[in-house]
Amino acid sequence: MILAILILYVLMMIGIGVSTHSKSASVDGFVLGGRNVGSWLTAFSFGTSYFSAVVFVGYAGQFGWNYGVSATWIGIGNAVLGSALAWIALGKRTRSMSTHLNASTMSEFFEKRYNSKKLKISSAIIIFIFLIPYTASVYNGLSRLFSMAFDIDYAVCIIAMAALTAVYVIIGGYTATAISDFIQGIIMLGGIVSVVLFALNGKGGFSSVMKQLGDIEVNGSTDVLNSVLGPDPINLAGVVILTSLGTWGLPQMVHKFYAIKNEDAIKKGTVISTLFALVVAGGSYFLGGFGRVYCTADASDGSGRELISTLANGKLDFDAIIPSLLGSCLPDIMIGLVVVLVLSASMSTLSSLVLTSSSTVTIDLVRPAMKGKLSEKNEVLVMRLFIAFFLIISVILALNKNAYISTLMSISWGALAGAFLAPFMYGLYSKKVTRAAVTASFISGVGITVIHMFIFSLGFFPEATKAAASMKLNMASPINAGAIAMIAGLIIVPLVSRFTKNSDQEQLEKAFDCYKK
């Protein structure tokens, strides 16, 4: 039954790619769908690109384990800050200015908004490099669930998912991803509600689950995993900031506003996207909060020991929590639904990531280097080749099972949103932002992420890791580092702009002419 559901889904996705192939012949059609995508498709595309196996398997499992049901605040933050406010603050202005400047990618936006080819090249390199760990994290989460459902080797799952992504994105481009995202979004909405209800019922209902969570001792205290703010509200806030504010500066998310049809579609899309995020993200983190109930209370010897495995490095395998939970409470047909749910979420995110990366490299690096020698048809071909190349690198990185899903994603989001959020958002609103300030933000966002990665994630300085572990605000956490990178950019850009100047005032005025129409 599970296999039949999966095969039907895969065939449907390939069919969408084939049916939309004719709309992806031009660069504009392949990358932006002709800037004619409606509110429902855009809103669902935004939501399904936002939430994937990274959230459902990685983040929900790890943060549900750490914070209990208070992890639900992450989902609420994603809906309010990451979706509603992002659409309100960025949607209309991004659509207007990107169309006016004829910018197809975030790197093209930086070039034309700030009149700097160096910003275009540097941002394109940052995008290509730091989207790779995010893609790897999606493969990681997806493959773990497939291993649970089908008992298939982890590496085989990753390679198969990469091949499927390549087929329908390479064939159909943005239009294929938008249509498939809509279908995938419907599956995600129905799936997450059903799974939460099954999980609650499996432990006697909501009241029973909350009581069992309260009985679990954390750092010598009980009744914390079932509390409103949980055992660690400070670090919980860091997760909310990273996963919510990050969407404002991620190229694959902002890209949705480039392609939307008109301003009316933006208004409708804001409501749809927010409700979608509330159900999917809120439901995922709420479900993750049950992790300790399912993975400790059922120990066969009654000891309450943890039933999830450890990694080769001796650390708890947080990414195994949700698959273990689902395997304990769901019948086969529901596991089939969950597999398709997570596959839907992940495929939409993967398609968005690889399309963003390949279009950025082709339009912002290859096209200028070729100096007009590439025809439009050949540019689309180059994009398709880069999609395959990007997927191969991501697969190699994802084969490292010792890397937590949350760590890979945090590195990606921290560098990208830390570098781009402030100059992009401020650049839509203020003429005072300077090229020097944008450069400073790029250096700050990438610098904080990379330095933190070398000190903590790669373990080059074990003494620093030990010292950080004793601090109440966990500085060793890549999540907190990502949040700090974003906030630093929001401070650095206006500060540097105050002491530097733009030399091309005429170009600046032309960029803002779009708001006068």
Side-chain angles (χ1 to χ4, degrees):
M1 176 63 76
I2 300 175
L3 188 59
I5 294 172
L6 183 62
I7 291 173
L8 180 63
Y9 172 81
V10 169
L11 291 175
M12 181 173 62
M13 291 300 103
I14 294 174
I16 291 172
V18 172
S19 65
T20 57
H21 179 66
S22 61
K23 297 181 181 180
S24 63
S26 67
V27 172
D28 189 60
F30 190 84
V31 177
L32 296 173
R35 294 187 192 266
N36 197 37
V37 183
S39 57
W40 282 89
L41 289 183
T42 302
F44 270 62
S45 184
F46 186 92
T48 54
S49 297
Y50 195 168
F51 310 114
S52 65
V54 172
V55 170
F56 188 76
V57 177
Y59 271 34
Q62 181 170 344
F63 301 125
W65 183 275
N66 290 339
Y67 307 127
V69 291
S70 68
T72 309
W73 283 112
I74 306 171
I76 295 172
N78 293 170
V80 176
L81 180 58
S83 294
L85 291 180
W87 277 73
I88 292 169
L90 304 179
K92 179 180 176 181
R93 284 181 172 262
T94 299
R95 209 277 179 187
S96 297
M97 189 173 281
S98 66
T99 304
H100 177 67
L101 297 176
N102 194 28
S104 302
T105 66
M106 182 174 273
S107 295
E108 267 197 325
F109 174 88
F110 285 130
E111 176 197 24
K112 295 178 179 180
R113 165 63 181 83
Y114 296 105
N115 196 23
S116 170
K117 289 187 177 180
K118 290 181 180 179
L119 289 181
K120 178 176 78 169
I121 293 171
S122 58
S123 61
I125 293 171
I126 292 170
I127 289 170
F128 184 76
I129 291 173
F130 285 99
L131 279 183
I132 291 172
Y134 188 14
T135 308
S137 70
V138 177
Y139 283 135
N140 192 323
L142 191 57
S143 299
R144 286 175 179 276
L145 199 66
F146 267 65
S147 298
M148 178 272 291
F150 300 109
D151 196 24
I152 301 174
D153 183 74
Y154 174 81
V156 173
C157 291
I158 288 178
I159 294 169
M161 292 308 99
L164 178 57
T165 307
V167 169
Y168 91 88
V169 179
I170 289 173
I171 292 173
Y174 187 82
T175 303
T177 64
I179 294 173
S180 59
D181 286 350
F182 182 72
I183 296 172
Q184 291 159 347
I186 293 173
I187 294 171
M188 289 167 67
L189 286 171
I192 193 64
V193 172
S194 301
V195 170
V196 169
L197 291 176
F198 265 90
L200 284 172
N201 186 61
K203 290 295 180 182
F206 177 76
S207 298
S208 176
V209 169
M210 294 297 284
K211 183 181 183 305
Q212 291 175 62
L213 276 173
D215 290 340
I216 297 172
E217 187 175 303
V218 179
N219 297 326
S221 301
T222 56
D223 289 322
V224 288
L225 292 175
N226 60 352
S227 63
V228 174
L229 296 179
D232 191 0
I234 295 177
N235 282 304
L236 176 61
V239 182
V240 173
I241 292 171
L242 176 79
T243 61
S244 302
L245 195 59
T247 60
W248 296 46
L250 294 176
Q252 74 273 18
M253 303 301 296
V254 173
H255 180 260
K256 310 303 180 188
F257 302 133
Y258 287 39
I260 199 165
K261 192 173 184 178
N262 50 42
E263 290 184 16
D264 286 339
I266 292 173
K267 294 176 183 177
K268 295 177 184 176
T270 303
V271 177
I272 298 167
S273 178
T274 303
L275 293 175
F276 182 91
L278 195 60
V279 174
V280 173
S284 295
Y285 286 108
F286 181 62
L287 175 69
F290 309 157
R292 292 205 192 217
V293 171
Y294 274 92
C295 297
T296 58
D298 283 341
S300 58
D301 60 4
S303 65
R305 61 184 172 84
E306 295 160 359
L307 295 182
I308 56 174
S309 59
T310 56
L311 299 172
N313 57 17
K315 294 183 179 180
L316 204 63
D317 190 0
F318 289 117
D319 300 336
I321 293 173
I322 294 297
S324 176
L325 184 157
L326 297 175
S328 301
C329 70
L330 298 183
D332 282 351
I333 190 168
M334 279 302 298
I335 290 177
L337 176 62
V338 170
V339 169
V340 174
L341 182 161
V342 179
L343 179 61
S344 297
S346 301
M347 294 303 291
S348 59
T349 302
L350 287 170
S351 62
S352 178
L353 293 173
V354 298
L355 192 59
T356 299
S357 180
S358 65
S359 60
T360 296
V361 173
T362 303
I363 294 172
D364 302 319
L365 297 179
V366 176
R367 180 191 283 175
M370 295 302 293
K371 298 179 181 179
K373 295 179 182 179
L374 272 182
S375 66
E376 188 165 44
K377 182 178 180 181
N378 285 334
E379 281 191 15
V380 174
L381 176 61
V382 171
M383 285 185 200
R384 288 176 166 139
L385 291 174
F386 270 112
I387 286 173
F389 176 69
F390 183 81
L391 287 171
I392 290 170
I393 297 175
S394 302
V395 164
I396 293 171
L397 185 59
L399 290 173
N400 175 18
K401 290 183 70 173
N402 283 328
Y404 284 139
I405 292 172
S406 61
T407 299
L408 291 170
M409 179 177 163
S410 299
I411 290 170
S412 176
W413 279 45
L416 292 169
F420 299 148
L421 188 158
F424 183 80
M425 182 184 71
Y426 287 141
L428 293 173
Y429 282 88
S430 175
K431 298 177 184 178
K432 296 180 180 179
V433 181
T434 64
R435 283 195 295 269
V438 178
T439 302
S441 182
F442 286 5
I443 294 171
S444 169
V446 174
I448 290 172
T449 303
V450 171
I451 291 171
H452 184 276
M453 182 175 66
F454 274 95
I455 293 176
F456 297 110
S457 298
L458 298 180
F460 285 1
F461 300 93
E463 293 304 319
T465 304
K466 291 178 182 178
S470 63
M471 299 175 66
K472 189 173 182 180
L473 179 60
N474 184 7
M475 297 307 297
S477 167
I479 295 154
N480 288 333
I484 290 169
M486 294 177 207
I487 294 171
L490 292 171
I491 297 170
I492 287 170
V493 169
L495 188 64
V496 175
S497 295
R498 183 175 178 83
F499 297 101
T500 54
K501 292 183 179 181
N502 282 313
S503 57
D504 42 7
Q505 196 64 31
E506 185 178 346
Q507 171 69 19
L508 188 61
E509 294 297 332
K510 286 181 180 178
F512 278 81
D513 280 345
C514 60
Y515 299 142
K516 298 177 182 178
K517 296 179 181 180

